[in-house]
Amino acid sequence: MVMRIGRVELRVMDMDRSIDFYTNVLGLEIVGRSKNQAYFKAWDEYDHHSLILTAADAPGLASFGLKVANNDELASLEKRVEQFGLPTKRVSKGERLGEGEYIRFELPTGHQCELYYDIERVGTKVGVLNPDPWPDNLSGIAPHRLDHIAITGEDVNHATRFFTDVLNFGQSEKIVAGENGELELASFLFAKNGGKPHDIAFVKGPNNMFNHVGFYVDSWEQVLRAADITTKNNVPSALTPQRHGITRGLTTYFFDPNGNCNEAFSHGYITYPDFPTITWTEDNFDTAMLYHYRKQPEAIVNGTV
Amino acid sequence: MAKYKITVKNYESAIYECREEQDLLGQAILARVPFSVACRSGGCGICKIKVIDGRYQRGICSKKTLPDEERENNYSLACKTYPKSDMVISVENIRR
Ligand code: FES
Ligand SMILES: [Fe+2]
Protein backbone atom coordinates (compact mmCIF):
# COMPACT_ATOMS: atom_id res chain seq x y z
CA MET A 1 0.00 0.00 0.00
CA VAL A 2 1.15 3.50 -0.79
CA MET A 3 0.56 5.74 2.23
CA ARG A 4 0.97 9.15 0.64
CA ILE A 5 2.99 11.37 -1.58
CA GLY A 6 5.96 11.86 0.71
CA ARG A 7 8.39 14.01 -1.17
CA VAL A 8 8.74 16.29 -4.16
CA GLU A 9 11.97 17.34 -5.87
CA LEU A 10 11.84 20.68 -7.66
CA ARG A 11 14.40 22.16 -10.02
CA VAL A 12 15.54 25.64 -9.10
CA MET A 13 17.67 28.12 -11.02
CA ASP A 14 18.46 30.43 -8.12
CA MET A 15 19.28 28.35 -5.05
CA ASP A 16 19.87 31.22 -2.62
CA ARG A 17 16.63 33.01 -3.42
CA SER A 18 14.79 29.69 -3.40
CA ILE A 19 16.08 28.76 0.04
CA ASP A 20 15.01 32.18 1.30
CA PHE A 21 11.56 31.75 -0.29
CA TYR A 22 10.89 28.22 0.98
CA THR A 23 12.18 29.11 4.45
CA ASN A 24 10.73 32.56 5.05
CA VAL A 25 7.74 32.87 2.72
CA LEU A 26 6.41 29.33 2.44
CA GLY A 27 7.78 28.72 5.92
CA LEU A 28 9.30 25.25 5.78
CA GLU A 29 12.22 24.19 7.91
CA ILE A 30 15.53 23.63 6.16
CA VAL A 31 16.90 20.30 7.33
CA GLY A 32 19.94 19.79 5.16
CA ARG A 33 22.14 21.10 2.37
CA SER A 34 24.50 19.50 -0.07
CA LYS A 35 26.46 21.09 -2.87
CA ASN A 36 23.53 21.35 -5.27
CA GLN A 37 20.53 20.47 -3.13
CA ALA A 38 18.54 21.80 -0.20
CA TYR A 39 16.13 19.73 1.91
CA PHE A 40 13.01 20.93 3.73
CA LYS A 41 10.18 19.64 5.89
CA ALA A 42 6.93 21.18 7.09
CA TRP A 43 6.58 21.55 10.86
CA ASP A 44 3.93 18.84 11.23
CA GLU A 45 5.87 16.17 9.33
CA TYR A 46 8.01 13.51 11.04
CA ASP A 47 10.25 12.39 8.18
CA HIS A 48 13.57 14.02 7.34
CA HIS A 49 12.21 15.97 4.35
CA SER A 50 9.27 16.37 2.02
CA LEU A 51 10.79 18.89 -0.39
CA ILE A 52 14.12 18.77 -2.18
CA LEU A 53 15.40 21.67 -4.24
CA THR A 54 17.92 20.68 -6.88
CA ALA A 55 20.05 23.22 -8.76
CA ALA A 56 19.21 23.25 -12.47
CA ASP A 57 19.05 25.60 -15.43
CA ALA A 58 15.25 25.43 -15.72
CA PRO A 59 12.39 25.04 -13.24
CA GLY A 60 10.08 22.03 -13.00
CA LEU A 61 9.46 18.76 -11.25
CA ALA A 62 12.60 16.61 -11.08
CA SER A 63 10.87 13.70 -9.30
CA PHE A 64 8.30 12.84 -6.66
CA GLY A 65 8.22 10.03 -4.15
CA LEU A 66 5.41 7.87 -2.80
CA LYS A 67 5.92 6.45 0.68
CA VAL A 68 4.80 2.86 1.10
CA ALA A 69 3.89 1.05 4.33
CA ASN A 70 6.98 -1.16 4.65
CA ASN A 71 9.82 -2.78 2.71
CA ASP A 72 7.83 -5.91 1.76
CA GLU A 73 5.27 -3.64 0.11
CA LEU A 74 8.11 -1.91 -1.66
CA ALA A 75 9.35 -5.18 -3.14
CA SER A 76 5.89 -6.27 -4.24
CA LEU A 77 5.08 -2.91 -5.82
CA GLU A 78 8.41 -3.01 -7.60
CA LYS A 79 7.32 -6.25 -9.22
CA ARG A 80 3.92 -4.91 -10.19
CA VAL A 81 5.43 -1.81 -11.79
CA GLU A 82 7.79 -4.04 -13.78
CA GLN A 83 4.90 -6.27 -14.83
CA PHE A 84 3.04 -3.20 -16.09
CA GLY A 85 6.03 -2.71 -18.38
CA LEU A 86 7.87 0.12 -16.70
CA PRO A 87 11.55 -0.60 -16.04
CA THR A 88 12.53 0.12 -12.43
CA LYS A 89 15.85 0.91 -10.84
CA ARG A 90 16.97 0.57 -7.23
CA VAL A 91 18.80 3.63 -5.96
CA SER A 92 20.99 2.91 -2.99
CA LYS A 93 21.01 4.59 0.39
CA GLY A 94 23.13 7.68 0.59
CA GLU A 95 22.29 9.15 -2.81
CA ARG A 96 20.40 11.87 -0.99
CA LEU A 97 20.50 13.10 2.59
CA GLY A 98 18.32 11.21 5.05
CA GLU A 99 17.02 8.69 2.53
CA GLY A 100 17.41 4.94 2.40
CA GLU A 101 17.15 2.77 -0.67
CA TYR A 102 14.33 3.60 -3.07
CA ILE A 103 12.86 2.53 -6.39
CA ARG A 104 12.70 4.85 -9.33
CA PHE A 105 10.87 4.57 -12.64
CA GLU A 106 9.46 6.75 -15.36
CA LEU A 107 5.70 7.11 -15.57
CA PRO A 108 4.01 6.76 -18.96
CA THR A 109 3.61 10.55 -18.77
CA GLY A 110 7.40 10.98 -18.55
CA HIS A 111 7.58 12.03 -14.90
CA GLN A 112 10.14 10.44 -12.57
CA CYS A 113 8.35 8.56 -9.81
CA GLU A 114 9.90 7.00 -6.70
CA LEU A 115 8.67 4.45 -4.18
CA TYR A 116 10.30 4.29 -0.79
CA TYR A 117 9.90 3.30 2.79
CA ASP A 118 13.24 4.09 4.44
CA ILE A 119 13.81 7.69 5.37
CA GLU A 120 15.27 9.13 8.53
CA ARG A 121 12.71 10.24 11.09
CA VAL A 122 13.51 13.53 12.71
CA GLY A 123 10.19 14.20 14.43
CA THR A 124 8.49 17.52 15.08
CA LYS A 125 9.27 20.35 17.47
CA VAL A 126 6.11 19.71 19.50
CA GLY A 127 6.98 16.05 19.89
CA VAL A 128 4.68 13.12 20.54
CA LEU A 129 4.31 13.37 24.31
CA ASN A 130 1.69 15.87 25.53
CA PRO A 131 2.34 18.07 22.49
CA ASP A 132 1.40 21.72 22.08
CA PRO A 133 -0.86 22.33 19.09
CA TRP A 134 1.88 24.12 17.15
CA PRO A 135 5.52 25.06 17.72
CA ASP A 136 6.85 28.56 18.39
CA ASN A 137 8.83 30.61 15.91
CA LEU A 138 7.12 29.52 12.72
CA SER A 139 7.72 31.89 9.84
CA GLY A 140 5.75 32.62 6.69
CA ILE A 141 2.83 30.46 5.60
CA ALA A 142 4.08 27.47 7.62
CA PRO A 143 1.87 24.73 6.15
CA HIS A 144 1.30 21.48 8.01
CA ARG A 145 2.52 19.23 5.26
CA LEU A 146 3.15 18.54 1.62
CA ASP A 147 -0.29 17.69 0.28
CA HIS A 148 -0.36 16.91 -3.44
CA ILE A 149 1.03 17.65 -6.89
CA ALA A 150 -0.66 18.39 -10.19
CA ILE A 151 1.13 17.34 -13.35
CA THR A 152 0.20 17.09 -17.02
CA GLY A 153 0.30 14.21 -19.46
CA GLU A 154 -1.09 13.34 -22.87
CA ASP A 155 -2.89 10.16 -21.86
CA VAL A 156 -4.69 10.74 -18.58
CA ASN A 157 -6.73 7.52 -18.87
CA HIS A 158 -3.54 5.51 -19.03
CA ALA A 159 -2.03 7.33 -16.06
CA THR A 160 -5.19 6.65 -14.06
CA ARG A 161 -5.05 2.97 -14.98
CA PHE A 162 -1.45 2.72 -13.79
CA PHE A 163 -2.18 4.38 -10.47
CA THR A 164 -5.40 2.49 -9.75
CA ASP A 165 -4.42 -0.95 -11.10
CA VAL A 166 -0.75 -1.08 -10.17
CA LEU A 167 -0.32 1.21 -7.18
CA ASN A 168 -3.85 0.60 -5.87
CA PHE A 169 -4.78 4.27 -5.71
CA GLY A 170 -8.39 5.40 -5.62
CA GLN A 171 -9.85 7.93 -8.02
CA SER A 172 -11.85 10.56 -6.14
CA GLU A 173 -12.91 12.68 -9.10
CA LYS A 174 -12.47 13.06 -12.83
CA ILE A 175 -13.37 15.46 -15.62
CA VAL A 176 -14.42 13.68 -18.79
CA ALA A 177 -15.15 14.35 -22.44
CA GLY A 178 -16.28 12.23 -25.36
CA GLU A 179 -19.66 10.77 -26.21
CA ASN A 180 -19.73 8.32 -23.35
CA GLY A 181 -17.50 10.33 -21.09
CA GLU A 182 -14.64 7.94 -21.68
CA LEU A 183 -11.88 10.48 -22.30
CA GLU A 184 -10.35 11.80 -19.10
CA LEU A 185 -9.32 15.44 -19.16
CA ALA A 186 -8.31 15.38 -15.52
CA SER A 187 -8.00 12.68 -12.87
CA PHE A 188 -7.66 13.01 -9.10
CA LEU A 189 -5.93 10.08 -7.47
CA PHE A 190 -5.45 9.28 -3.78
CA ALA A 191 -3.53 6.77 -1.74
CA LYS A 192 -6.24 4.59 -0.19
CA ASN A 193 -4.34 4.46 3.08
CA GLY A 194 -4.50 8.20 3.35
CA GLY A 195 -7.94 9.75 3.10
CA LYS A 196 -6.98 12.96 1.32
CA PRO A 197 -9.06 13.76 -1.77
CA HIS A 198 -5.91 13.71 -3.88
CA ASP A 199 -2.23 12.97 -3.69
CA ILE A 200 -1.68 13.37 -7.42
CA ALA A 201 -3.75 15.13 -10.04
CA PHE A 202 -3.23 14.56 -13.74
CA VAL A 203 -4.46 17.14 -16.20
CA LYS A 204 -4.44 16.51 -19.93
CA GLY A 205 -1.54 18.40 -21.50
CA PRO A 206 2.01 17.87 -22.67
CA ASN A 207 3.94 15.01 -21.10
CA ASN A 208 6.44 15.54 -18.31
CA MET A 209 5.23 18.98 -17.30
CA PHE A 210 4.60 20.30 -13.82
CA ASN A 211 1.59 22.39 -12.87
CA HIS A 212 1.87 22.93 -9.11
CA VAL A 213 2.68 21.52 -5.71
CA GLY A 214 0.12 21.94 -2.93
CA PHE A 215 0.92 22.43 0.75
CA TYR A 216 -1.74 22.00 3.43
CA VAL A 217 -2.91 24.82 5.70
CA ASP A 218 -5.83 24.21 8.00
CA SER A 219 -8.41 26.93 7.48
CA TRP A 220 -9.84 29.44 5.05
CA GLU A 221 -8.31 32.11 7.30
CA GLN A 222 -4.89 30.52 6.71
CA VAL A 223 -5.45 30.54 2.95
CA LEU A 224 -6.19 34.27 3.11
CA ARG A 225 -3.16 34.75 5.32
CA ALA A 226 -1.03 32.84 2.79
CA ALA A 227 -2.14 35.29 0.10
CA ASP A 228 -1.37 38.21 2.45
CA ILE A 229 2.11 36.83 3.01
CA THR A 230 2.80 36.39 -0.69
CA THR A 231 1.72 39.98 -1.44
CA LYS A 232 3.75 41.35 1.48
CA ASN A 233 6.78 39.59 0.06
CA ASN A 234 6.10 40.67 -3.51
CA VAL A 235 5.69 37.07 -4.63
CA PRO A 236 3.99 36.71 -8.05
CA SER A 237 0.43 35.51 -7.57
CA ALA A 238 -1.17 32.95 -9.86
CA LEU A 239 -4.65 33.06 -8.32
CA THR A 240 -6.22 34.83 -5.36
CA PRO A 241 -8.12 32.77 -2.73
CA GLN A 242 -10.84 30.58 -4.20
CA ARG A 243 -12.73 27.33 -3.85
CA HIS A 244 -12.16 24.26 -6.00
CA GLY A 245 -15.26 22.45 -7.22
CA ILE A 246 -13.20 19.28 -7.19
CA THR A 247 -12.17 18.29 -3.64
CA ARG A 248 -14.15 21.34 -2.35
CA GLY A 249 -10.74 22.55 -1.24
CA LEU A 250 -9.83 26.17 -0.57
CA THR A 251 -6.86 27.52 -2.40
CA THR A 252 -4.49 30.24 -3.44
CA TYR A 253 -1.62 29.90 -5.94
CA PHE A 254 1.70 31.69 -6.27
CA PHE A 255 5.12 31.22 -7.84
CA ASP A 256 8.49 30.46 -6.29
CA PRO A 257 11.48 32.53 -7.54
CA ASN A 258 12.01 30.11 -10.45
CA GLY A 259 8.45 29.88 -11.72
CA ASN A 260 7.46 26.68 -9.92
CA CYS A 261 3.82 27.15 -8.94
CA ASN A 262 2.90 26.50 -5.29
CA GLU A 263 -0.52 26.23 -3.75
CA ALA A 264 -1.69 26.80 -0.19
CA PHE A 265 -4.54 24.30 0.02
CA SER A 266 -7.05 23.77 2.80
CA HIS A 267 -10.12 21.69 3.57
CA GLY A 268 -11.19 19.26 0.93
CA TYR A 269 -13.27 16.34 2.12
CA ILE A 270 -11.96 13.08 3.55
CA THR A 271 -12.34 10.23 1.12
CA TYR A 272 -12.44 6.46 1.63
CA PRO A 273 -11.68 3.52 -0.65
CA ASP A 274 -15.38 2.65 -0.96
CA PHE A 275 -16.47 6.11 -2.11
CA PRO A 276 -17.67 6.44 -5.70
CA THR A 277 -15.71 8.53 -8.19
CA ILE A 278 -17.28 11.95 -8.71
CA THR A 279 -17.61 12.87 -12.38
CA TRP A 280 -17.58 16.32 -13.96
CA THR A 281 -18.43 16.80 -17.62
CA GLU A 282 -16.31 18.81 -20.02
CA ASP A 283 -18.80 21.71 -20.11
CA ASN A 284 -18.27 22.07 -16.35
CA PHE A 285 -14.48 21.98 -16.54
CA ASP A 286 -13.96 25.51 -15.26
CA THR A 287 -16.45 25.17 -12.40
CA ALA A 288 -14.88 21.87 -11.41
CA MET A 289 -11.45 23.45 -11.22
CA LEU A 290 -12.39 26.81 -9.69
CA TYR A 291 -15.92 27.02 -8.40
CA HIS A 292 -16.13 30.83 -8.20
CA TYR A 293 -13.72 32.00 -10.87
CA ARG A 294 -15.17 29.67 -13.55
CA LYS A 295 -12.40 30.17 -16.07
CA GLN A 296 -8.86 28.98 -16.49
CA PRO A 297 -6.45 31.46 -14.91
CA GLU A 298 -3.92 32.60 -17.47
CA ALA A 299 -1.06 32.36 -14.99
CA ILE A 300 -1.78 28.77 -14.01
CA VAL A 301 -2.32 27.60 -17.59
CA ASN A 302 0.73 29.43 -18.94
CA GLY A 303 2.77 28.69 -15.84
CA THR A 304 3.15 24.98 -16.51
CA VAL A 305 6.88 24.25 -16.59
CA MET B 1 17.57 56.61 -11.94
CA ALA B 2 17.51 56.52 -15.70
CA LYS B 3 14.12 56.03 -17.26
CA TYR B 4 13.86 54.56 -20.73
CA LYS B 5 11.29 54.49 -23.50
CA ILE B 6 10.14 51.01 -24.53
CA THR B 7 8.41 50.65 -27.89
CA VAL B 8 6.47 47.46 -28.56
CA LYS B 9 6.55 47.01 -32.29
CA ASN B 10 3.76 44.53 -32.83
CA TYR B 11 1.22 46.50 -30.83
CA GLU B 12 0.30 49.63 -32.71
CA SER B 13 2.35 52.41 -31.16
CA ALA B 14 2.47 50.92 -27.66
CA ILE B 15 5.11 52.90 -25.83
CA TYR B 16 5.79 52.78 -22.14
CA GLU B 17 8.47 53.77 -19.69
CA CYS B 18 10.74 51.55 -17.65
CA ARG B 19 13.58 52.33 -15.27
CA GLU B 20 16.76 50.31 -15.35
CA GLU B 21 15.98 48.53 -12.08
CA GLN B 22 12.48 47.61 -13.28
CA ASP B 23 11.66 44.64 -15.47
CA LEU B 24 10.04 45.15 -18.86
CA LEU B 25 7.04 42.96 -18.05
CA GLY B 26 6.04 44.61 -14.78
CA GLN B 27 6.01 48.09 -16.30
CA ALA B 28 4.17 46.86 -19.41
CA ILE B 29 1.42 45.46 -17.19
CA LEU B 30 1.19 48.74 -15.26
CA ALA B 31 0.94 50.59 -18.59
CA ARG B 32 -1.82 48.16 -19.69
CA VAL B 33 0.22 46.82 -22.60
CA PRO B 34 -1.30 43.37 -23.09
CA PHE B 35 1.61 40.99 -22.52
CA SER B 36 0.94 37.34 -21.75
CA VAL B 37 2.05 36.69 -18.20
CA ALA B 38 2.37 33.84 -15.73
CA CYS B 39 5.29 33.22 -13.37
CA ARG B 40 7.08 36.59 -13.55
CA SER B 41 10.13 34.61 -12.50
CA GLY B 42 11.93 33.76 -15.75
CA GLY B 43 10.57 30.22 -15.77
CA CYS B 44 7.53 29.64 -17.98
CA GLY B 45 8.67 31.64 -21.01
CA ILE B 46 5.23 33.05 -21.83
CA CYS B 47 6.51 36.66 -21.73
CA LYS B 48 9.15 36.07 -24.41
CA ILE B 49 10.23 39.09 -26.44
CA LYS B 50 12.57 39.76 -29.31
CA VAL B 51 14.80 42.74 -28.77
CA ILE B 52 14.99 44.65 -32.04
CA ASP B 53 16.97 47.57 -30.71
CA GLY B 54 18.51 48.73 -27.46
CA ARG B 55 20.66 47.45 -24.64
CA TYR B 56 19.54 45.53 -21.61
CA GLN B 57 20.62 43.35 -18.74
CA ARG B 58 19.08 39.92 -18.20
CA GLY B 59 18.46 38.10 -14.91
CA ILE B 60 18.29 34.32 -14.50
CA CYS B 61 16.07 32.72 -17.16
CA SER B 62 15.14 29.13 -17.86
CA LYS B 63 17.33 27.43 -20.46
CA LYS B 64 14.37 25.32 -21.44
CA THR B 65 12.16 28.24 -22.42
CA LEU B 66 15.01 30.54 -23.42
CA PRO B 67 17.74 28.33 -24.89
CA ASP B 68 21.21 29.63 -25.75
CA GLU B 69 20.57 30.03 -29.46
CA GLU B 70 17.62 32.29 -28.72
CA ARG B 71 19.76 34.31 -26.33
CA GLU B 72 22.31 34.77 -29.10
CA ASN B 73 19.52 35.99 -31.38
CA ASN B 74 18.39 38.62 -28.89
CA TYR B 75 15.34 36.94 -27.51
CA SER B 76 14.68 37.44 -23.84
CA LEU B 77 12.04 37.00 -21.15
CA ALA B 78 10.45 40.35 -20.37
CA CYS B 79 10.02 39.57 -16.66
CA LYS B 80 13.79 39.24 -16.30
CA THR B 81 14.89 41.96 -18.72
CA TYR B 82 16.07 45.31 -17.40
CA PRO B 83 16.67 48.17 -19.86
CA LYS B 84 20.00 49.96 -20.24
CA SER B 85 18.79 52.25 -23.03
CA ASP B 86 15.60 53.00 -24.94
CA MET B 87 14.41 49.75 -26.48
CA VAL B 88 12.34 48.47 -29.36
CA ILE B 89 10.89 45.02 -28.76
CA SER B 90 8.24 42.70 -30.13
CA VAL B 91 6.26 40.23 -28.04
CA GLU B 92 6.12 36.57 -29.09
CA ASN B 93 2.84 35.58 -27.45
CA ILE B 94 0.26 38.16 -28.37
CA ARG B 95 -2.43 38.16 -25.75
CA ARG B 96 -5.95 37.65 -26.99
S1 FES C 1 6.17 35.39 -17.03
FE1 FES C 1 7.05 33.39 -16.91
S2 FES C 1 9.00 33.72 -17.79
FE2 FES C 1 8.19 35.75 -17.72
FE1 LIG D 1 -3.89 21.69 -6.12
Side-chain angles (χ1 to χ4, degrees), chain A residues 255 259 302-303 305, chain B residues 25 36-48 61-62 65 77-80:
Chain A
F255 291 100
N302 291 340
V305 291
Chain B
L25 180 64
S36 292
V37 52
C39 71
R40 302 180 79 157
S41 304
C44 70
I46 198 74
C47 67
K48 192 176 290 177
C61 291
S62 164
T65 52
L77 301 180
C79 65
K80 288 285 169 181

Side-chain angles (χ1 to χ4, degrees), chain A residues 282-302:
Chain A
E282 190 181 12
D283 52 324
N284 280 272
F285 189 98
D286 293 342
T287 319
M289 290 293 198
L290 297 166
Y291 196 73
H292 307 149
Y293 196 63
R294 282 176 282 163
K295 48 188 186 265
Q296 287 302 296
E298 189 186 8
I300 293 178
V301 174
N302 291 340

Side-chain angles (χ1 to χ4, degrees), chain A residues 13-14 17 57-59 208-209 236-237 255-259 298-299 302-305, chain B residues 35-46 60-65 71 80 95:
Chain A
M13 303 184 286
D14 188 333
R17 281 194 64 204
D57 60 13
N208 199 17
M209 297 280 275
S237 168
F255 291 100
D256 85 356
N258 321 276
E298 189 186 8
N302 291 340
T304 310
V305 291
Chain B
F35 273 59
S36 292
V37 52
C39 71
R40 302 180 79 157
S41 304
C44 70
I46 198 74
I60 300 175
C61 291
S62 164
K63 289 254 178 162
K64 188 171 158 194
T65 52
R71 294 172 196 230
K80 288 285 169 181
R95 187 173 170 187

Side-chain angles (χ1 to χ4, degrees), chain A residues 173-176 185-186 188 198 242-249 251 253 265 269 278-296:
Chain A
E173 310 206 24
K174 61 183 176 180
I175 308 177
V176 296
L185 303 178
F188 297 77
H198 60 340
Q242 274 285 319
R243 180 195 284 282
H244 288 302
I246 289 169
T247 73
R248 300 196 299 250
T251 175
Y253 293 91
F265 175 86
Y269 48 73
I278 293 165
T279 300
W280 298 78
T281 49
E282 190 181 12
D283 52 324
N284 280 272
F285 189 98
D286 293 342
T287 319
M289 290 293 198
L290 297 166
Y291 196 73
H292 307 149
Y293 196 63
R294 282 176 282 163
K295 48 188 186 265
Q296 287 302 296

Side-chain angles (χ1 to χ4, degrees), chain A residues 105-303:
Chain A
F105 56 94
E106 185 173 308
L107 291 174
T109 50
H111 303 88
Q112 299 298 314
C113 182
E114 296 168 1
L115 297 169
Y116 70 100
Y117 172 68
D118 285 323
I119 183 165
E120 214 178 284
R121 273 187 161 243
V122 294
T124 70
K125 294 227 164 82
V126 294
V128 290
L129 185 65
N130 309 322
D132 289 322
W134 39 269
D136 291 330
N137 306 318
L138 294 173
S139 47
I141 295 166
H144 287 259
R145 61 162 192 260
L146 165 67
D147 192 83
H148 65 271
I149 54 168
I151 54 186
T152 67
E154 284 160 21
D155 192 342
V156 176
N157 292 70
H158 190 56
T160 299
R161 226 170 296 130
F162 173 75
F163 273 85
T164 55
D165 296 2
V166 179
L167 300 182
N168 198 29
F169 272 57
Q171 185 183 45
S172 57
E173 310 206 24
K174 61 183 176 180
I175 308 177
V176 296
E179 221 155 275
N180 308 307
E182 68 289 338
L183 180 70
E184 292 184 355
L185 303 178
S187 178
F188 297 77
L189 302 158
F190 66 99
K192 284 183 184 164
N193 259 12
K196 290 187 291 183
H198 60 340
D199 287 86
I200 300 164
F202 281 95
V203 181
K204 195 166 167 57
N207 271 350
N208 199 17
M209 297 280 275
F210 169 65
N211 190 268
H212 68 266
V213 54
F215 294 91
Y216 192 82
V217 297
D218 70 1
S219 70
W220 171 237
E221 204 64 38
Q222 294 288 313
V223 173
L224 296 181
R225 187 174 161 275
D228 291 344
I229 290 168
T230 53
T231 296
K232 278 170 90 166
N233 287 279
N234 211 10
V235 168
S237 168
L239 188 73
T240 55
Q242 274 285 319
R243 180 195 284 282
H244 288 302
I246 289 169
T247 73
R248 300 196 299 250
L250 308 171
T251 175
T252 189
Y253 293 91
F254 45 92
F255 291 100
D256 85 356
N258 321 276
N260 293 308
C261 188
N262 287 5
E263 176 185 19
F265 175 86
S266 186
H267 284 63
Y269 48 73
I270 294 174
T271 193
Y272 293 99
D274 63 336
F275 278 23
T277 299
I278 293 165
T279 300
W280 298 78
T281 49
E282 190 181 12
D283 52 324
N284 280 272
F285 189 98
D286 293 342
T287 319
M289 290 293 198
L290 297 166
Y291 196 73
H292 307 149
Y293 196 63
R294 282 176 282 163
K295 48 188 186 265
Q296 287 302 296
E298 189 186 8
I300 293 178
V301 174
N302 291 340

